[in-house]
């Protein structure tokens, strides 16, 4: 793990046995895409998310039937579970009774009185609340005001971000007056500049942990790009205590991408990094094919090892000096290098196997 000296030091809030905040590495969350009414499918997805590295898992709770199934799910998994509640505060109360570890509520679609009722029960049970503000669920009068600046990008972004912050702070103030401070906050939008601005503003105005996400990013590759830009921008400035990537894709893919973002920001040492050149007229080998074969083989490796595949002796090892191990392609194969030092030449058909053998040997050292 690499220390982020810029990291915002928020207070620590525990979700189950997982501490969030306090300048620690951001915790990766996953979200089940199955309806919790289907307990077996939900548990299978939870297992897969956990294996991918999710530390906390959120469930949508759309109705009472789903809320009641939480107790069955809780009996068969010990990972911290979060209930995602909208519109009906009674679902939050039911989820708490059923053993949920955190409740996500949206002040945009619950009244202050309803939120305080949920907080009262959460306080008695000792679980936190996530105050989750979505730009699309701001009060109608604010959304109408924002719509007037449709053609003024700067003013629209600023007004929306400030409105999200104001709604969150009002809710936090109400909870604090009642003595409830077990709070995590999230300000999300599908609009990346709005999300970034809102989180930067609120990070300076309160000390609670921040959960980061970009909503409705879409399928790959656009969802990957939007998530990496939005989350990466905030994390690189030390903002963010827990993250979830949202894609129109497999939930396990979301968790894996979250770790990739953290890894490339050097916030977690999570698995191997593959460095490959973009290829050019000097390229002497099929870099793409070699890289694809390697990716399928290194998927299960957890060690933070840097592996390079370069197209020629100009790029490798020179451009890949930071790599732990790598190959530079030649006309008839490649040159193996380790920690920047040339080792020996390899035949073309032995490139991948030789590289994997060296990687396994390095893991044993």
């Amino acid at each position: 793990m690499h220390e982020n000296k810029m990291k915002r030091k928020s207070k620590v809030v525990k979700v189950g046995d997982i501490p969030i905040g306090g300048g620690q590495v951001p915790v990766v969350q996953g979200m089940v895409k199955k309806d919790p009414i289907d307990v077996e499918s939900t548990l299978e997805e939870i297992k897969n998310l956990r294996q991918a590295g999710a530390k906390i898992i959120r469930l949508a709770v759309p109705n009472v039937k789903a809320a009641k199934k939480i107790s069955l799910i809780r009996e068969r998994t010990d990972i911290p579970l979060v209930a995602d509640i909208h519109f009906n505060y009674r679902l939050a109360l039911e989820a708490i009774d059923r053993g949920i570890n955190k409740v996500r509520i949206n002040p945009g679609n619950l009244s202050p009185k309803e939120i305080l009722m949920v907080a009262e029960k959460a306080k008695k049970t000792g679980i936190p609340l996530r105050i989750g503000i979505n730009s699309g669920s701001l009060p109608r009068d604010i959304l109408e005001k924002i719509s007037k600046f449709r053609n003024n990008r700067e003013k629209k972004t600023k007004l929306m971000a400030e409105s999200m912050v104001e709604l969150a702070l009002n809710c936090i103030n109400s909870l604090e007056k009642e003595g409830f401070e077990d709070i995590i906050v999230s300000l999300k939008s599908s609009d990346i500049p709005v999300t970034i601005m809102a989180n930067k503003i609120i990070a300076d105005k309160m000390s609670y942990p921040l959960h980061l996400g970009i909503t409705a990013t879409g399928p790959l590759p656009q969802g990957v790009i939007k998530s990496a830009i939005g989350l990466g921008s905030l994390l690189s400035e030390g903002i963010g205590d827990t993250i979830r990537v949202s894609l129109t894709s497999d939930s396990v893919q979301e968790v894996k991408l979250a770790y990739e973002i953290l890894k490339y920001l050097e916030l977690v040492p999570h698995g191997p990094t593959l460095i490959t050149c973009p290829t050019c007229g000097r390229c002497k080998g099929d870099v793409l094919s070699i890289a694809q074969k390697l990716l399928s083989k290194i998927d299960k490796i957890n060690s933070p090892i840097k592996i390079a595949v370069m197209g020629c002796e100009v790029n490798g090892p020179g451009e890949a000096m930071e790599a732990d191990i790598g190959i530079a392609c030649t006309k008839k194969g490649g040159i193996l290098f380790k920690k920047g030092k040339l080792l020996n030449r390899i035949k073309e058909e032995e490139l991948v196997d030789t590289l994997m053998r060296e990687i396994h040997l390095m893991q044993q050292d």
Side-chain angles (χ1 to χ4, degrees):
M1 181 184 71
H2 296 259
E3 181 184 0
N4 185 351
K5 294 180 180 179
M6 298 168 59
K7 180 69 180 175
R8 169 180 173 266
K9 298 296 192 295
S10 60
K11 68 174 290 185
V12 176
V13 174
K14 292 190 75 173
V15 180
D17 59 352
I18 303 294
I20 293 173
Q24 301 177 94
V25 172
V27 174
V28 173
Q29 294 193 25
M31 184 162 184
V32 171
K33 303 205 174 188
K34 302 290 186 183
D35 189 329
I37 289 177
D38 186 345
V39 173
E40 294 303 323
S41 294
T42 298
L43 284 166
E44 180 66 20
E45 192 170 0
I46 288 172
K47 183 184 78 172
N48 294 335
L49 287 168
R50 191 172 198 171
Q51 288 176 345
K55 304 300 182 186
I56 297 170
I57 294 176
R58 184 155 49 113
L59 308 170
V61 184
N63 50 51
V64 175
K65 284 185 179 180
K68 289 182 176 180
K69 294 293 184 180
I70 290 172
S71 55
L72 297 177
I73 297 167
R74 175 75 290 162
E75 288 173 3
R76 294 170 61 184
T77 181
D78 60 355
I79 195 167
L81 298 175
V82 181
D84 192 67
I85 306 296
H86 290 272
F87 305 110
N88 188 347
Y89 78 96
R90 292 182 180 85
L91 297 179
L93 302 180
E94 183 72 30
I96 294 171
D97 284 337
R98 298 285 174 166
I100 209 74
N101 300 108
K102 182 176 80 170
V103 174
R104 182 277 174 118
I105 53 175
N106 186 343
N109 50 42
L110 287 177
S111 71
K113 182 179 178 181
E114 291 170 336
I115 291 173
L116 290 178
M117 290 173 68
V118 175
E120 182 181 6
K121 194 174 190 69
K123 187 175 183 179
K124 289 178 181 178
T125 316
I127 68 169
L129 297 182
R130 170 150 75 90
I131 307 305
I133 310 294
N134 283 354
S135 60
S137 57
L138 288 170
R140 184 172 297 177
D141 60 328
I142 294 176
L143 290 175
E144 288 176 356
K145 184 178 179 181
I146 291 170
S147 69
K148 295 177 182 178
F149 297 99
R150 191 182 305 274
N151 297 321
N152 189 324
R153 175 70 192 181
E154 186 176 345
K155 286 187 177 181
K156 180 184 175 184
T157 297
K158 187 172 184 291
L159 180 56
M160 185 170 285
E162 290 176 343
S163 298
M164 292 168 68
V165 170
E166 183 179 2
L167 183 59
L169 292 177
N170 287 342
C171 184
I172 290 168
N173 290 336
S174 295
L175 291 171
E176 288 177 336
K177 286 178 182 178
E178 299 300 319
F180 188 86
E181 297 184 356
D182 227 3
I183 299 167
I184 296 169
V185 180
S186 68
L187 305 178
K188 297 183 179 182
S189 175
S190 59
D191 187 307
I192 295 173
V194 168
T195 303
I196 292 172
M197 183 179 289
N199 279 278
K200 283 185 175 182
I201 293 171
I202 203 165
D204 290 331
K205 292 181 178 293
M206 56 95 197
S207 60
Y208 295 108
L210 280 168
H211 171 75
L212 302 184
I214 305 294
T215 63
T217 62
L220 283 69
Q222 75 171 51
V224 173
I225 296 168
K226 291 172 72 175
S227 298
I229 293 172
L231 301 183
S233 297
L234 289 165
L235 291 167
S236 66
E237 295 194 31
I239 297 171
D241 302 285
T242 166
I243 68 171
R244 185 231 163 176
V245 170
S246 304
L247 301 173
T248 309
S249 183
D250 177 64
S251 59
V252 169
Q253 187 73 22
E254 295 178 340
V255 172
K256 288 182 176 180
L257 178 59
Y259 274 109
E260 290 292 290
I261 292 171
L262 294 176
K263 179 174 73 176
Y264 291 121
L265 288 170
E266 298 191 342
L267 294 174
V268 297
H270 188 81
T273 297
L274 184 59
I275 302 165
T276 65
C277 73
T279 75
C280 67
R282 291 188 298 267
C283 189
K284 298 296 190 298
D286 190 346
V287 174
L288 178 59
S289 175
I290 296 169
Q292 288 174 334
K293 289 175 184 176
L294 280 172
L295 283 171
S296 67
K297 292 178 179 292
I298 65 176
D299 188 50
K300 303 299 182 183
I301 294 175
N302 294 319
S303 303
I305 184 172
K306 289 188 177 181
I307 307 160
V309 178
M310 312 305 282
C312 69
E313 294 175 70
V314 173
N315 280 337
E319 294 294 328
M321 285 292 290
E322 73 271 27
D324 297 302
I325 187 78
I327 55 170
C329 294
T330 61
K331 284 185 178 181
K332 296 182 180 180
I335 299 173
L336 181 70
F337 57 88
K338 194 173 185 178
K339 304 288 186 181
K341 295 181 179 181
L342 300 178
L343 296 182
N344 54 279
R345 294 185 177 272
I346 314 167
K347 293 179 181 179
E348 183 177 357
E349 62 272 18
E350 298 175 356
L351 288 174
V352 174
D353 289 342
T354 301
L355 200 48
M356 287 305 302
R357 185 165 58 251
E358 290 292 330
I359 290 168
H360 289 309
L361 287 173
M362 291 178 73
Q363 288 184 284
Q364 295 171 16
D365 290 343

